[in-house]
Amino acid sequence: MSYLNELNDSQRLAAENINGPTMIIAGAGSGKTRVLTYRIAHMIEQGVDPFNILSLTFTNKAAKEMTERISHLIGGGEAKNITMGTFHSVFSRILRYNADRLGYPSNFTIYDTQDTKSLLKDIIKEQNLDDKIYKPSMVYARISAAKNNLISADAYAQNKDIIAEDNSSKRPELARIYKLYTTRCFKAGAMDFDDLLFQTNVLLRDFPDVLNYYQQKFRYILVDEYQDTNYAQYLIVKKLAAVYENICVVGDDAQSIYSFRGANIQNILNFRKDYPEFKLFKLEQNYRSTKNIVEAANSVIANNKDQIKKSVWTENTEGQKIKVVRTLTDNEEGKVVANKIFDLCHGQASIFKDIAILYRTNKQSRSFEEALRKINIPYKIFGGLSFYQRKEIKDLLAYFRLSTNPNDEEALKRVINYPKRGIGKTSMEHVVICANQHGTSMWEVISNPQQYSLPVSPATRTKFYEFATMIQSFNALNNQLNAFDLGNQIAKSSGILKELYNEKDKGVEEVERYQNVEELLAGMKEFSASKEEDNSLADFMMDVALLTDADLTGEEDTNYVSLMTIHSSKGLEYPHVYLVGLEENLFPSQMAINTRSELEEERRLFYVALTRAKETCTISYANSRFVFGSLTTSEPSRFIDEIDQKYLDFENISRGPGRSLNQMNSNYERPFTGGLNTRLNTKPNLRSINELPKSNSGQNTSLSFMVGDNVEHDRFGKGKITKLEGVDADKKATIFFPHHGIKVVILRFANLKKLD
């Protein structure tokens, strides 16, 4: 137990209290993950069987890291026996084990948001409804909210208040769409993300023996980020903990920012009502940020009335004051922030990874992207198109899904004619109609077209038969091959690899699509090699389906400036943070200042943003910005006024002494000689950032190269120039290297050799 000596007094008290209901209020940067880890290790040291511990984390990545830390603390493999992961990952496994109780196959598909919206779009079209009134995204949000509040399709249709609300919004068919959607998912053997919690509640409600089994199994329950739980999650935990009440929740009400996802801050505020005998521990020492940042954040959050009082403090250095920068326009804001990053990193290009630009909405990234590109600062946007949402990846994953669950209608529709096999849209419409008439799945219809009297030509029936036979052959190998071996065979036999390979010569984007599939297969090989069991294609697909945004962040050895929304930054930290767009109606959002509770959540979001910073924080705002094509004037955010002014340093860049903004830009619009002058590909699992080597040759060879030239680079080998831009000393070339992909180099530094 000597490892407990590494904790401060408050942390140790929280870690040692292993029995009974416990709430740990952990301020930003107070080491809550460390406390959770040590608490679990201490529980095992005190004789608690790891098989009896359930630990629910914020991300799968966090669960993996905690398991590794616990193994390091107590040795042996006992940590692997703990049930640890996100709500969705843990309960999806429980649902697979008990799927037959609910009428689902154990290999049910997990629909992502794109799948759900696609199915809803089809239903809306089939029912001849106006998709401008019944927008798939709106319908999806309505159904999701219902499920998170444990309202089934039948209960929805019988609720007079809900129906009255739908009627008043002139959407009386929402209840029917919800019912049809539920039926289609069930028929396809599919659950969406909300179902993973909804159906777990159904399982525990309707099958007392299952509830009793898991109550006895999970005698000790720990929940991280409890302030972000919704009603469905809250009820699952409450049911499981009902017998032993050894429940420990960890969180910070000041960081509750996900109400738009159904999170209910009252879950943490009312914990004492659910468990009157609970013990409360407060972790108030911040190990992350400087005193100025901690005190500034405290002064803001003090304005919230609905909170659990705590006094966050730090022994860290005082640090710099928070800089507040006013700019004239949003474009100027992008340039100023980029230039400040240049100043910060000049001569220290390795610290790009220490910098984050945080904004309220994704659309704000444009001006910062443009400014960073202009001065060749590498960056990566989080929250954009995920690697697993790219078309070529979704196509191959659809084949994988069909190979484990042939009834998956969304996967079937996606690849039935890809690569092209002569199955047209009209034929598929007949399949859908036939399946709906007979109350069966599309797979059953195409597998037995004659039995269902499918009105298509004999040639089309043959094509359906050939496709079904191929999928059945893949399905037969599920229990024989690991994820990589089966995935690789599917990629080849389906024709996808050949299709993408044949497209490679068409251009850069086509090359990248092929490389993305290669990257996916490489990831599958790593997945299969890292596990002696649970390494099937179905296991891999479940891991992919349950990845969270936070799980998709880049590796630590990559070197770029991170751009993301504040919501995406939750749980992360950076030495240097640029918090941009601090204007009224943008932050706080105009959509979230109608009630006190909405405004307080916006303030908590600002608190989260400030507390991501370790060493420096810069706040910026613009006097005007373009909104829907029109230039609008802006006012500074009220949150700036709420920070105690003694922690702020106001800096008016536009009128700064010594040089104008134009002078600043003329100085900064030049490349780094440190070599990091390539914009990052945004896919996750990127192995590393390939930095361009330094060169002191100084030879101006930029005028001798042309698009199409074959060249050789000292590091990347032979390649072909696909694009040239810029003039004279700043001329840049985009080059495709077969073994390294696309690189952008500045010709005067690249030391390229022109090949004949």
Side-chain angles (χ1 to χ4, degrees), residues 1-243:
M1 291 195 298
S2 59
Y3 54 81
L4 291 180
N5 294 329
E6 299 173 17
L7 304 177
N8 66 37
D9 292 344
S10 298
Q11 291 174 332
R12 178 162 185 157
L13 287 172
E16 289 178 331
N17 184 69
I18 62 176
N19 294 307
T22 304
M23 181 162 68
I24 302 174
I25 297 299
S30 62
K32 69 178 177 64
T33 302
R34 185 185 183 90
V35 172
L36 272 175
T37 303
Y38 281 53
R39 190 176 194 273
I40 294 172
H42 183 60
M43 289 164 65
I44 296 172
E45 285 280 336
Q46 294 300 302
V48 175
D49 191 333
F51 283 99
N52 293 143
I53 300 173
L54 168 63
S55 179
L56 297 166
T57 60
F58 191 60
T59 65
N60 295 299
K61 182 188 292 185
K64 182 180 178 182
E65 290 173 356
M66 283 180 62
T67 301
E68 291 172 351
R69 289 188 193 181
I70 294 167
S71 296
H72 178 72
L73 288 173
I74 61 177
E78 289 289 4
K80 295 180 180 178
N81 297 326
I82 301 167
T83 301
M84 187 180 297
T86 65
F87 273 90
H88 292 91
S89 64
V90 168
F91 294 112
S92 66
R93 294 185 184 277
I94 290 176
L95 286 171
R96 287 193 187 281
Y97 187 76
N98 296 280
D100 60 317
R101 303 282 193 120
L102 300 170
Y104 283 86
S106 61
N107 59 345
F108 62 82
T109 297
I110 300 174
Y111 278 176
D112 63 17
T113 301
Q114 194 176 106
D115 297 320
T116 295
K117 290 181 179 178
S118 174
L119 176 54
L120 287 170
K121 184 178 180 180
D122 287 345
I123 292 171
I124 291 164
K125 182 179 179 182
E126 291 165 16
Q127 298 303 309
N128 295 314
L129 297 171
D130 188 341
D131 60 4
K132 292 183 176 61
I133 297 174
Y134 295 95
K135 294 179 180 179
S137 57
M138 180 279 299
V139 177
Y140 168 63
R142 189 72 170 166
I143 292 173
S144 177
K147 287 183 180 179
N148 283 329
N149 285 287
L150 303 182
I151 301 172
S152 67
D154 290 336
Y156 188 103
Q158 295 167 10
N159 188 302
K160 293 180 180 179
D161 292 336
I162 291 177
I163 298 303
E165 187 178 335
D166 288 347
N167 288 336
S168 67
S169 67
K170 297 182 180 180
R171 297 185 181 96
E173 299 297 326
L174 280 172
R176 189 158 66 91
I177 296 173
Y178 186 5
K179 181 66 175 178
L180 287 169
Y181 172 74
T182 301
T183 302
R184 291 280 285 273
C185 284
F186 185 76
K187 192 168 63 174
M191 294 188 194
D192 62 25
F193 250 57
D194 297 312
D195 281 325
L196 297 179
L197 303 179
F198 182 90
Q199 295 294 350
T200 298
N201 272 288
V202 172
L203 181 69
L204 300 180
R205 180 196 68 194
D206 294 351
F207 300 94
D209 60 317
V210 175
L211 174 60
N212 180 64
Y213 172 82
Y214 287 108
Q215 284 175 333
Q216 296 302 319
K217 176 175 175 58
F218 300 136
R219 301 187 180 199
Y220 292 84
I221 300 173
L222 301 93
V223 186
D224 193 11
E225 305 288 0
Y226 191 64
Q227 78 280 351
D228 293 328
T229 54
N230 60 29
Y231 179 64
Q233 293 166 322
Y234 159 80
L235 208 58
I236 291 171
V237 171
K238 196 168 188 295
K239 286 178 180 177
L240 292 177
V243 174

Side-chain angles (χ1 to χ4, degrees), residues 439-611:
T440 189
S441 69
M442 292 169 61
W443 170 256
E444 285 298 319
V445 173
I446 70 165
S447 299
N448 306 284
Q450 289 180 313
Q451 177 183 332
Y452 290 99
S453 302
L454 184 65
V456 295
S457 67
T460 300
R461 288 186 182 182
T462 299
K463 291 167 184 172
F464 279 141
Y465 173 77
E466 291 172 346
F467 177 79
T469 301
M470 177 179 66
I471 297 300
Q472 287 165 347
S473 71
F474 298 154
N475 186 264
L477 295 172
N478 263 305
N479 296 323
Q480 301 176 32
L481 302 177
N482 63 33
F484 169 71
D485 290 336
L486 180 52
N488 194 40
Q489 182 163 328
I490 292 171
K492 292 177 179 177
S493 300
S494 67
I496 282 186
L497 267 184
K498 183 179 179 181
E499 177 89 359
L500 292 173
Y501 184 83
N502 291 338
E503 295 282 315
K504 277 178 30 173
D505 294 335
K506 290 187 177 181
V508 172
E509 290 184 4
E510 286 75 12
V511 169
E512 187 174 340
R513 291 192 192 106
Y514 182 77
Q515 291 176 333
N516 285 341
V517 170
E518 285 187 320
E519 179 73 16
L520 175 65
L521 293 172
M524 295 177 73
K525 190 165 189 177
E526 184 178 337
F527 171 87
S528 300
S530 66
K531 297 185 175 186
E532 295 181 4
E533 53 186 28
D534 296 332
N535 63 359
S536 69
L537 184 60
D539 292 314
F540 175 78
M541 290 304 296
M542 186 167 71
D543 273 19
V544 169
L546 295 169
L547 286 171
T548 67
D549 291 343
D551 291 320
L552 296 176
T553 54
E555 290 76 18
E556 291 181 3
D557 61 347
T558 53
N559 190 30
Y560 47 75
V561 175
S562 298
L563 277 69
M564 68 187 78
T565 65
I566 302 166
H567 282 102
S568 298
S569 74
K570 179 77 181 297
L572 304 177
E573 59 182 40
Y574 295 90
H576 310 286
V577 168
Y578 293 84
L579 181 51
V580 301
L582 259 291
E583 297 142 34
E584 281 294 299
N585 298 326
L586 182 56
F587 194 18
S589 168
Q590 187 176 20
M591 305 295 290
I593 55 176
N594 298 314
T595 65
R596 176 175 292 280
S597 62
E598 289 175 342
L599 178 59
E600 291 202 350
E601 174 146 338
E602 287 289 290
R603 188 176 287 115
R604 291 194 295 270
L605 188 60
F606 183 58
Y607 176 84
V608 166
L610 284 177
T611 55

